[in-house]
Amino acid sequence: MARRDSSPDFIEAIARGLDVIRAFGPGQPVMSLTAVATVTHLPRPTARRILKTLEELGYVRQVGGGYELTPRVLDLGMSYVLSRGLWEVARPHMEALVTRTRESSSIAQLDGSDIVYVARVAVPKIVTLAVTIGTRFPALQTSLGKVLLAALPPAEADRVLAEPSRSGIVPRWQPDAGERAAVLREVRARGWALTDEQLAPGIRSVAVPLRDGDGRVIAALNVNSHAAETPLEVLTGQHLPLLLQTAGAISADWAACQGAPQVTVAGSVS
């Protein structure tokens, strides 16, 4: 397999290990060695060594005639979430929002042309697509993604959207360039975004930006509902004001955390 990067600082072995972890996609909880090698385009001996290494580290385990990921893989994503500190700041506000709306709420950030969920407080409801921390969807068809894309300069948004999605989801709404630009202009003008079954049937949500102390959009926060249960009038008329209030509180707390002095305690040498 040819190297994908000519930089002397690029470590191909790490890239291949991450390829193996990502091979376990939706609907593929258990994969054979052959399946992993096929999906990753790796020789079977290479795929086997990587799987054995990941097994030794606790990220995969053998089951039946194949391999499956272990919950330790979640540590990789949570390391990012916890290092940012956003979850600790947002959680009490999100829990209060969910209590008042009786709808699920999530925070996502942009990763290429996809959004990735980094925080979530959910209520038990049957929805078309399951969402957990680390789930990714095409950005343009979600309210969270529209908010994040609208925060970019138009040329940058076009560049990002030119990247292929890695979500594996084929969304219902496929706008042309003109419609897409008009939608993002509207989101920029009003400061919030709506999606109504554009990603998948039954999914309806509204989202607003989260900002840092300098006013930069760092993430997006939504209220997600089932289209058959929550009319658009309730989503925008009742939930949106609460969502805006919650986003303001989270942004203010995040700015305060940013502005707090960092105290370094020097260790003693005995």
Side-chain angles (χ1 to χ4, degrees), residues 187-244:
V187 174
R188 290 187 189 103
R190 68 187 182 186
W192 55 272
L194 177 74
T195 189
D196 187 13
E197 301 187 272
Q198 293 173 328
L199 179 66
I203 296 178
R204 176 179 287 167
S205 68
V206 63
V208 298
L210 297 177
R211 300 179 184 275
D212 64 12
D214 295 319
R216 291 186 295 261
V217 175
I218 57 169
L221 173 73
N222 82 346
V223 168
N224 184 80
S225 64
H226 196 289
E229 298 178 0
T230 306
L232 282 172
E233 294 76 13
V234 172
L235 192 62
T236 58
Q238 298 181 24
H239 297 345
L240 177 58
L242 297 174
L243 181 63
L244 289 165

Side-chain angles (χ1 to χ4, degrees), residues 7 11 23 33 38-39 43 62 89 95 108 111 113 126 133 138 159 181 183 185 209 223-224 230 234 268:
S7 169
I11 302 176
L33 170 59
T38 300
V39 171
Q62 293 192 57
V89 170
E95 289 173 345
D111 182 21
S113 61
I126 298 175
I133 303 300
R159 185 195 66 77
V183 167
R185 281 197 300 270
V223 168
N224 184 80
T230 306
V234 172
S268 60

Side-chain angles (χ1 to χ4, degrees), residues 30-54:
V30 179
M31 298 183 70
S32 67
L33 170 59
T34 299
V36 171
T38 300
V39 171
T40 59
H41 306 290
L42 292 172
R44 276 175 54 94
T46 302
R48 179 182 178 278
R49 288 197 300 272
I50 293 173
L51 284 166
K52 289 297 182 183
T53 300
L54 292 172

Side-chain angles (χ1 to χ4, degrees), residues 6-230:
S6 59
S7 169
D9 296 323
F10 187 85
I11 302 176
E12 186 69 28
I14 294 177
R16 292 179 179 181
L18 293 173
D19 287 342
V20 168
I21 291 175
R22 287 195 294 264
F24 294 82
Q28 294 178 303
V30 179
M31 298 183 70
S32 67
L33 170 59
T34 299
V36 171
T38 300
V39 171
T40 59
H41 306 290
L42 292 172
R44 276 175 54 94
T46 302
R48 179 182 178 278
R49 288 197 300 272
I50 293 173
L51 284 166
K52 289 297 182 183
T53 300
L54 292 172
E55 183 180 15
E56 184 67 23
L57 295 172
Y59 292 108
V60 303
R61 60 188 167 215
Q62 293 192 57
V63 53
Y67 294 85
E68 67 177 3
L69 299 178
T70 72
R72 177 168 287 188
V73 172
L74 295 173
D75 292 345
L76 300 175
M78 289 308 297
S79 294
Y80 169 79
V81 174
L82 296 176
S83 71
R84 304 289 288 183
L86 187 56
W87 171 234
E88 286 85 353
V89 170
R91 177 169 56 185
H93 298 291
M94 293 176 70
E95 289 173 345
L97 176 65
V98 168
T99 297
R100 297 179 72 181
T101 63
R102 298 180 182 175
E103 305 281 7
S104 298
S105 178
S106 302
I107 293 177
Q109 294 179 310
L110 203 60
D111 182 21
S113 61
D114 295 332
I115 58 165
V116 178
Y117 287 79
V118 299
R120 181 166 172 81
V121 178
V123 296
K125 288 191 177 184
I126 298 175
V127 294
T128 308
L129 298 174
V131 175
T132 59
I133 303 300
T135 294
R136 63 171 57 236
F137 291 138
L140 187 61
Q141 288 78 11
T142 68
S143 60
L144 293 161
K146 288 175 185 175
V147 165
L148 296 170
L149 290 167
L152 301 176
E156 177 68 7
D158 289 341
R159 185 195 66 77
V160 166
L161 287 170
E163 299 181 23
S165 170
R166 293 189 282 126
S167 71
I169 301 295
V170 179
R172 302 177 78 197
W173 181 53
Q174 300 286 348
D176 59 26
E179 185 180 4
R180 181 180 73 198
V183 167
L184 294 183
R185 281 197 300 270
E186 183 179 17
V187 174
R188 290 187 189 103
R190 68 187 182 186
W192 55 272
L194 177 74
T195 189
D196 187 13
E197 301 187 272
Q198 293 173 328
L199 179 66
I203 296 178
R204 176 179 287 167
S205 68
V206 63
V208 298
L210 297 177
R211 300 179 184 275
D212 64 12
D214 295 319
R216 291 186 295 261
V217 175
I218 57 169
L221 173 73
N222 82 346
V223 168
N224 184 80
S225 64
H226 196 289
E229 298 178 0
T230 306

